[in-house]
Amino acid sequence: MEDHLLGWLRTLDENRLARILANRPDAIAPPWPRRLDTLAQRLGNGFAVMEAMRGLPLPALQLAEAGLTMSRPTPEGLAAFLGVPGRTVAPWLDHLYDHALAWPDADGVIHLAEGVARWWAAPLGLGEPLEHYLNSWTISNDALRALARVLGLPAHGNKRRTIARVIELLSDPGRLDRLTATAPDGTLALLGRLAWDGPARDVDGGRFVTPGTPEKWCADHGLLFRPSWHVAEIPREVALCLRGPGYHPPFQPEAPEVASIPVDPEEVDHLMTLAAPHVVERCAALLDNTSKTPLPLLKTGGVGVREVRRVAKETGCDEDETRLLLEVCAVARLLAWDEQSGGMIPTERFDRWRLDEGSARLRVLLSAWWRMERSSLRKVDGKYATVLGDDPSGSAVARVRRAVLAALAHLPAGTAFADRDSLVRNVHWHAPLLDQALLAECAPAVLEEATLLGLLANGALTDLGRALAGLTADPGDENDDAVPQVEHDPVLAEASTRALASVRRSALFGPDLTAVVTGPPSAELAALLDRVAERESRGAASVWRFTTESVRGALDHGYDADELLDELATVGTIPQPLEYLVRDTARRHGEVTVSTVGCVVQAGDTALLAEIAGHRRLARLGLRLLAPTVLISAAPAERTLAALRENGYSPVPVSDTGEITIHRARAEEPHNGKLILLPGGQVAELSEFTPGSQPHAPYVIAEPAPDPHEHARRLVAAGRDDSGKHGRTWAVIGRMATRLPTAQQSLLGFVVDRGVRAAITLADGLTATISHGELRAGALDAWCEEAGDYLEFPLAEIVEVRGAY
């Protein structure tokens, strides 16, 4: 099959080849192919073919499925089989050609990539061709001649000629009709069930050996074959004849129309500018809340409903919004499990995220939602799934999300979908390989989530939604630590900047102890006011009210009156009543103190306790002398006991009743720093969060994507310059790489002929990991993984070659 594909690729011009490479970027991923034969291998890879098919619309798949059932499909034959004009088939054939999933040969016969057949066990519900059964090892030459005689055909000649005669007869509808006219009663009903509802069905195996039954008659005449005793199959040609000349496979070249209604673009834009700042602000509030109260996980994985409700109440979010943003923050690596805290807390990445500009923070969140392999608001049997729990659908949920937004992006500007069912039908046409039940289940949740994130408003995509739906970069999966291609997309960056352009960074303070923000507040402004005041309303204008309790809460977090008033003064003019409230509350703040004590240390010897309190090595315990015979420690009793014993003292633990107690040591599992939540509620160690390690920079701009036109130009030129120098690998390496022993010369030959990976060392001590090599004038031109490009290495300078696995 690769030979057919290679032959076709050699006939293509630069523009046609560039279209293929644009549709199949996997084929030019580093190390990019330098010859057309290498490109053909990549394009024909079964997994790559199956992945490319996920992006095909329904007509292209229907065309491919129909082509699989034909022995020598041609454009004219496919059009006749589908019952449509040739001009209807032509654009969809070109679509398959532009993805290198099908290609024509010199005679016009269409070849399909081998991986295409993996999607259909029985395309169009048809079985294997007759040749497959007649060439089976279970049919001897004598049985084949007996079949020919039963069918009234000449039994002489070789096996191939006999098979051809049988296929010719059973593929002819007229001759098959005459044959079945002499069959026992019930034969046509039996064959009809297999022809339309087959190609394989469970049967009573005994009837195939009982004379006079329709089953035995069909088996004797080659109309049914049995791979096992209780299963019968009908050959493809027989089934097509029985379906009749009026049968045409389903073919839907036009997408179902989405019912739509006009909307006001200015209102859609306004709603986007309200929702986008709110998302950034609420995520910051949720993360600040988990930094104070770590979010525990259930034993079965995920966050419990009670915790979700608590966080929603404490942050002022509704429950749906809390569910969504908690999962988005976890996928964005802003929230992770911490063993020591016993819950999920903000990560170091959150510290960097909150220092970024607002649009960058928004893109991090949208990028996480775009690749999230779960649906926060999806209901199964009327219930939500556990937040951050296991979702067996996984990546299919992310594909549904992208397909729904892509379908909405096809609607003209100023229009919104009016009917969800018509939208789902349209999505299925554009992405037919999605599970229809999952699509119907997830689509409502995707629309709700998109609305909360500012991607959808009044049923129409906002500029943010269109930018996200139009991304050409691979979004990655949920386990990706960084996806800079999405976060730094210029169209998305421009839309996110505009979505946050209307945020307010100042407030109007009133003498009635209120603060009013006339518009969406920035995350920093909202966080400041949330710390000092109680929010009373949200929307186009947000209102906060200052109370003695709210100001005391800010003072409890370490503010003093002057600091608090200085921060408030940066966002507005402070009226006198507010200043009086802050200073009066601060004056009374701290009149009574409450301390947390880890344990109490007692001794009758006051000098001994004074010595312990002043011991430098015990300073980490936070010891304080309350009375001559009473010492308190900030550390728990176990840690205090261990520290005292390490420094030469002999303390004993005492219970609350004053009795000496004995504790057995308990082995603790080692804790290797913070852990990150993975799909399914699992946790895995993430080196980024290891204390003292160099954190991975999440906002590094990725290398630009390969240019399809540049690669097409290079490959076309390479095809013209190919002078057939293959086959001289061993001779050249043996003559030029004289510093290598024979075994290492052989390994270097595999780098050239088979593209294997190897590690080489040059005479000057330089090492490199190479693959996909070519010989050029005494040098090895190979892909260098360290350099990320093809480099030349003189063969005479290579002193060692090792396998790299």
Side-chain angles (χ1 to χ4, degrees):
M1 190 64 71
E2 284 180 5
D3 293 339
H4 292 297
L5 176 57
L6 176 59
W8 177 65
L9 290 175
R10 285 174 173 159
T11 66
L12 301 183
D13 59 21
E14 181 183 317
N15 290 332
R16 187 59 179 269
L17 186 58
R19 290 209 301 272
I20 293 174
L21 299 181
N23 290 323
R24 298 285 302 276
D26 55 289
I28 50 175
W32 47 80
R34 296 188 289 184
R35 299 193 303 265
L36 288 174
D37 57 346
T38 310
L39 176 64
Q41 291 175 1
R42 288 202 182 184
L43 292 173
N45 178 271
F47 292 105
V49 167
M50 294 174 70
E51 193 62 32
M53 290 183 67
R54 293 185 188 276
L56 293 183
L58 184 61
L61 286 177
Q62 290 175 330
L63 201 59
E65 187 179 9
L68 287 173
T69 64
M70 302 176 67
S71 58
R72 289 176 60 82
T74 61
E76 298 78 12
L78 274 171
F81 185 35
L82 296 170
V84 295
R87 63 179 180 276
T88 306
V89 168
W92 296 111
L93 266 180
D94 282 338
H95 198 77
L96 289 173
Y97 296 164
D98 287 345
H99 285 76
L101 299 175
W103 55 90
D105 63 15
D107 298 326
V109 176
I110 300 168
H111 298 269
L112 292 164
E114 290 182 1
V116 172
R118 297 185 185 181
W119 282 107
W120 296 282
L124 299 179
L126 298 171
E128 299 288 345
L130 266 166
E131 187 176 8
H132 168 80
Y133 299 103
L134 298 177
N135 268 320
S136 171
W137 62 271
T138 58
I139 298 183
S140 64
N141 287 339
D142 291 340
L144 191 59
R145 293 191 186 97
L147 174 61
R149 285 193 291 269
V150 168
L151 293 174
L153 297 172
H156 59 273
N158 57 30
K159 182 178 181 180
R160 181 179 298 178
R161 185 172 298 176
T162 304
I163 289 175
R165 293 183 187 127
V166 172
I167 293 174
E168 182 182 3
L169 186 151
L170 297 182
S171 301
D172 187 329
R175 297 172 73 180
L176 187 61
D177 285 344
R178 291 192 293 272
L179 179 65
T180 54
T182 62
D185 292 341
T187 300
L188 287 177
L190 170 67
L191 290 173
R193 288 194 297 272
L194 281 151
W196 289 101
D197 301 323
R201 289 179 67 96
D202 294 336
V203 293
D204 181 359
R207 292 180 61 83
F208 280 80
V209 295
T210 304
T213 61
E215 287 83 356
K216 178 169 174 54
W217 187 91
C218 290
D220 291 343
H221 289 77
L223 302 181
L224 292 180
F225 293 85
R226 283 190 306 158
S228 62
W229 181 257
H230 289 295
V231 176
E233 295 180 0
I234 187 169
R236 181 178 301 172
E237 293 86 347
V238 176
L240 284 173
C241 287
L242 291 170
R243 290 184 182 184
Y247 166 73
H248 298 292
F251 186 62
Q252 189 178 354
E254 300 294 335
E257 186 176 353
V258 179
S260 61
I261 55 175
V263 292
D264 182 2
E266 292 186 1
E267 184 179 357
V268 170
D269 194 66
H270 174 66
L271 292 174
M272 175 188 71
T273 61
L274 291 179
H278 181 77
V279 170
V280 178
E281 173 210 332
R282 290 297 87 198
C283 279
L286 286 174
L287 292 165
D288 281 333
N289 182 273
T290 56
S291 68
K292 301 168 189 173
T293 308
L295 198 61
L297 298 181
L298 300 171
K299 291 182 179 179
T300 54
V303 180
V305 175
R306 185 176 300 174
E307 284 299 318
V308 172
R309 290 174 178 168
R310 177 189 64 79
V311 173
K313 182 178 179 181
E314 292 179 1
T315 58
C317 296
D318 60 39
E319 288 186 31
D320 286 354
E321 193 175 29
T322 303
R323 297 176 62 86
L324 172 63
L325 296 184
L326 281 177
E327 295 196 324
V328 167
C329 287
V331 175
R333 303 298 193 262
L334 303 176
L335 188 66
W337 171 260
D338 180 65
E339 187 72 30
Q340 185 176 359
S341 302
M344 298 192 72
I345 63 173
T347 66
E348 293 175 359
R349 181 172 291 185
F350 169 60
D351 297 328
R352 298 193 297 269
W353 175 82
R354 74 187 314 167
L355 295 176
D356 261 333
E357 61 177 6
S359 61
R361 280 179 277 173
L362 177 62
R363 292 198 302 274
V364 169
L365 301 175
L366 295 181
S367 173
W369 180 75
W370 195 233
R371 67 183 191 276
M372 192 166 73
E373 296 177 359
R374 62 189 75 238
S375 179
S376 305
L377 304 183
R378 169 188 171 199
K379 288 186 177 181
V380 180
D381 297 329
K383 296 181 180 179
Y384 286 131
T386 304
V387 174
L388 291 170
D390 189 18
D391 191 338
S393 301
S395 59
V397 174
R399 288 196 291 271
V400 168
R401 178 183 302 115
R402 296 163 199 160
V404 170
L405 257 68
L408 289 170
H410 285 95
L411 295 176
T415 58
F417 77 94
D419 176 62
R420 195 167 63 201
D421 291 338
S422 68
L423 174 64
V424 170
R425 288 192 295 270
N426 184 273
V427 172
H428 173 65
W429 187 90
H430 284 98
L433 293 181
L434 290 175
D435 181 81
Q436 291 194 55
L438 181 67
L439 172 60
E441 199 172 68
C442 287
V446 170
L447 297 173
E448 291 179 42
E449 293 170 14
T451 301
L452 287 174
L453 294 172
L455 306 170
L456 192 69
N458 290 343
L461 277 187
T462 64
D463 288 347
L464 267 179
R466 290 188 180 277
L468 201 60
L471 286 173
T472 57
D474 179 14
D477 57 40
E478 193 176 81
N479 289 322
D480 288 347
D481 288 337
V483 278
Q485 288 184 341
V486 172
E487 293 173 7
H488 292 277
D489 180 80
V491 178
L492 183 61
E494 180 182 353
S496 59
T497 300
R498 209 168 62 77
L500 296 178
S502 62
V503 296
R504 299 291 185 264
R505 305 184 186 279
S506 61
L508 300 174
F509 295 104
D512 58 347
L513 299 180
T514 59
V516 179
V517 179
T518 57
S522 68
E524 294 79 8
L525 176 59
L528 172 61
L529 295 177
D530 282 340
R531 284 195 296 269
V532 190
E534 297 175 357
R535 191 183 300 219
E536 291 188 340
S537 67
R538 301 173 185 274
S542 302
V543 179
W544 281 263
R545 182 170 297 279
F546 295 89
T547 64
T548 302
E549 291 77 15
S550 66
V551 174
R552 185 188 301 129
L555 298 173
D556 287 342
H557 284 88
Y559 283 95
D560 61 31
D562 290 334
E563 289 176 340
L564 196 54
L565 290 170
D566 287 345
E567 284 202 28
L568 292 174
T570 62
V571 298
T573 303
I574 300 177
Q576 197 173 56
L578 178 55
E579 184 176 355
Y580 284 166
L581 174 66
V582 172
R583 295 198 180 279
D584 185 57
T585 305
R587 187 166 48 254
R588 301 185 59 190
H589 189 258
E591 290 178 343
V592 178
T593 63
V594 177
S595 299
T596 299
V597 177
C599 65
V600 177
V601 181
Q602 293 177 288
D605 188 345
T606 57
L608 176 61
L609 277 189
E611 177 188 332
I612 293 174
H615 202 298
R616 293 179 60 186
R617 292 186 180 178
L618 297 175
R620 67 181 184 275
L621 296 178
L623 298 171
R624 285 187 292 161
L625 199 62
L626 294 186
T629 59
V630 180
L631 192 67
I632 62 169
S633 170
E638 291 81 2
R639 284 181 54 195
T640 303
L641 278 167
L644 289 172
R645 287 167 178 166
E646 285 176 7
N647 288 278
Y649 300 100
S650 301
V652 291
V654 179
S655 68
D656 294 340
T657 61
E659 298 178 354
I660 296 176
T661 58
I662 299 175
H663 293 284
R664 285 188 171 28
R666 189 174 178 182
E668 295 184 0
E669 296 180 1
H671 303 311
N672 297 319
K674 297 184 180 178
L675 303 179
I676 189 76
L677 190 75
L678 297 179
Q682 300 176 347
V683 292
E685 192 173 334
L686 191 66
S687 60
E688 176 186 2
F689 298 118
T690 303
S693 67
Q694 179 66 32
H696 176 70
Y699 306 138
V700 176
I701 299 178
E703 290 291 327
D707 182 4
H709 287 277
E710 179 183 340
H711 282 280
R713 189 179 308 113
R714 178 180 50 75
L715 285 165
V716 169
R720 287 195 298 263
D721 296 340
D722 189 1
S723 54
K725 295 180 180 179
H726 310 300
R728 301 191 298 110
T729 302
W730 307 103
V732 173
I733 291 177
R735 187 175 70 253
M736 303 294 296
T738 55
R739 300 192 183 198
L740 297 176
T742 303
Q744 294 186 21
Q745 288 180 347
S746 299
L747 180 56
L748 200 60
F750 288 136
V751 173
V752 177
D753 287 348
R754 301 184 184 177
V756 302
R757 294 175 71 239
I760 63 170
T761 303
L762 301 182
D764 59 2
L766 177 69
T767 61
T769 306
I770 62 170
S771 62
H772 302 85
E774 290 185 357
L775 297 176
R776 299 182 186 277
L780 176 65
D781 187 3
W783 178 263
C784 176
E785 294 184 7
E786 290 77 7
D789 203 349
Y790 286 98
L791 299 178
E792 287 193 358
F793 302 93
L795 288 171
E797 296 297 317
I798 301 176
V799 297
E800 185 183 13
V801 181
R802 305 177 306 281
Y805 307 104

